[in-house]
Amino acid sequence: MRRYRVLIVGAGFAGAEAAWHLARAGVEVGLLTQSLDSVMMPFLPPKPPFPQGSLLERAYDPEDERVWAFHARAKYLLEAEARLHLFQATATGLLLEGERVVGVRTWEGPPAWGERVVLAVGSFLGARLYLGEVEEEAGRLSEASYPDLFEDLKALGFRFLDKEGEVPETPTTPGYRVRYHAFHPEEWEEGTFRLKGLAGLHAVGLCVREGDYARMSQEGKRLAQYLLHELG
Ligand code: FAD
C-alpha cells in the first residue's frame, strides 16, 4: 500500500500549485484528479500578474493563450516532478481511522492514502451547471460533478454555503452558470487550511474561498509552505 506524505484531491489551480511546491521541496505527493484532461484547466485564459515563482507563472505563455495549451504546459511541468504522482481517480469519500483522515475512497475502487489529505475540489461539491434551458450535474462545461464526496462530507456533519459562478459567452464557448457549495467559514481555520473536527484534513481553493486564478495559485503556494512547516 502506497501512502503519500500529502494526498491532494483535485488538480486545479490551488491543488496543482500546492502539489508542485511540495514535490519540489522533497515531499512525496499524490495528486488525484477526476480527469487528466482537465488538469489546471482554466475557464478563460489566465491573465498576469501571477504569484512569483508559481506553477501558474511558469505555465503561462503570453504568445499562446489557448486554454488547453496552458493546461498541457502545466500538466507537463507537474509530470516532470519526480516526487509528484499525478493520477486519475474520483474521490467519493474520506477514509477514517478514528477521528483522523487517512485517505480517500475512489469511484474506481482502489483507495488512496496520505498522512495529510487536502481537498482542492473547486466548484465541484454538489455542483449544477445551467446553459440556456439545459441543467446538468457538472462543475464546469463538459466536466461531470459526481455527488458522492459532497454527500459523504455532509453525512460527516460538515456545513456548506451556496455559491455561484458565471462564465461569459466567448467566440468559441457559450456562456453558462455553475451553482456549487463551499465549506462554511466556521468549518475551517483561516491561515492553517485545516478543516475542524477531523485531524489530518485540509482544504484549499474555491471550495473554501473565492478568488481568481492568481489568488488560487497563491493559496496553493501558502498551503505548501504551511504543510512543509507542519510535516517538519
Ligand atoms: P478548480 O480549478 O476547479 O480545480 C478543481 C479540480 O478538482 C478539478 O480539476 C476537478 O476535476 C477536480 N475534482 C473535483 N472533485 C473531485 C473529486 N471528487 N475527485 C477528484 N478530483 C476532483 N477565475 C479567473 O481568474 N478567471 C475566470 O475566468 C474564472 N471563471 C470562473 C467561472 C466559474 C463558473 C467559477 C465557478 C469560477 C471561476 N473563476 C475564475 C474562479 C476560480 O479562480 C476558478 O474557479 C479556479 O479554477 C478555482 O481553482 P480551484 O483549484 O479551487 O478549483
Side-chain angles (χ1 to χ4, degrees):
M1 174 186 86
R2 187 168 181 181
R3 190 183 183 108
Y4 302 100
R5 288 212 81 194
V6 179
L7 176 70
I8 300 180
V9 179
F13 281 79
E17 191 74 60
W20 190 67
H21 287 279
L22 285 165
R24 286 160 70 86
V27 176
E28 290 285 338
V29 187
L31 178 57
L32 167 167
T33 204
Q34 74 181 26
S35 168
L36 292 178
D37 288 336
S38 61
V39 170
M40 223 172 170
M41 179 69 93
F43 292 90
L44 296 173
K47 300 279 181 209
F50 301 133
Q52 216 181 354
S54 62
L55 173 62
L56 171 57
E57 182 184 64
R58 189 72 77 82
Y60 177 68
D61 178 355
E63 305 294 319
D64 182 358
E65 292 208 319
R66 296 169 302 170
V67 290
W68 60 265
F70 171 87
H71 140 81
R73 286 190 296 271
K75 185 163 171 266
Y76 175 83
L77 288 165
L78 288 163
E79 287 181 328
E81 287 303 325
R83 292 181 187 275
L84 196 161
H85 181 203
L86 172 66
F87 62 104
Q88 182 166 310
T90 297
T92 53
L94 302 180
L95 283 166
L96 303 177
E97 273 175 16
E99 294 294 300
R100 183 167 195 90
V101 178
V102 292
V104 294
R105 295 189 296 276
T106 69
W107 184 85
E108 289 75 7
W113 307 93
E115 284 175 36
R116 299 286 187 284
V117 174
V118 177
L119 299 179
V121 293
S123 55
F124 285 73
L125 287 175
R128 297 198 83 81
L129 186 145
Y130 302 87
L131 199 171
E133 299 295 301
V134 178
E135 177 182 342
E136 53 183 54
E137 282 185 320
R140 69 168 85 222
L141 203 56
S142 313
E143 260 196 89
S145 158
Y146 303 101
D148 314 63
L149 180 61
F150 182 52
E151 294 302 328
D152 184 69
L153 292 167
K154 278 198 300 186
L156 287 167
F158 286 105
R159 289 162 302 153
F160 296 88
L161 294 179
D162 294 335
K163 297 279 180 182
E164 186 166 310
E166 194 157 2
V167 179
E169 191 176 339
T170 71
T172 50
T173 50
Y176 62 94
R177 283 183 304 126
V178 178
R179 294 182 70 184
Y180 62 97
H181 297 86
F183 283 97
H184 191 285
E186 287 173 15
E187 298 291 358
W188 64 293
E189 295 171 21
E190 172 95 44
T192 71
F193 299 95
R194 283 210 313 256
L195 285 167
K196 293 177 190 164
L198 293 171
L201 183 63
H202 302 72
V204 70
L206 205 62
C207 65
V208 283
R209 70 187 323 156
E210 291 179 24
D212 59 10
Y213 298 137
R215 175 91 186 264
M216 297 298 130
S217 144
Q218 184 62 36
E219 289 293 293
K221 252 184 98 176
R222 280 207 314 124
L223 169 68
Q225 281 152 10
Y226 171 79
L227 285 177
L228 283 172
H229 181 71
E230 202 183 78
L231 291 164

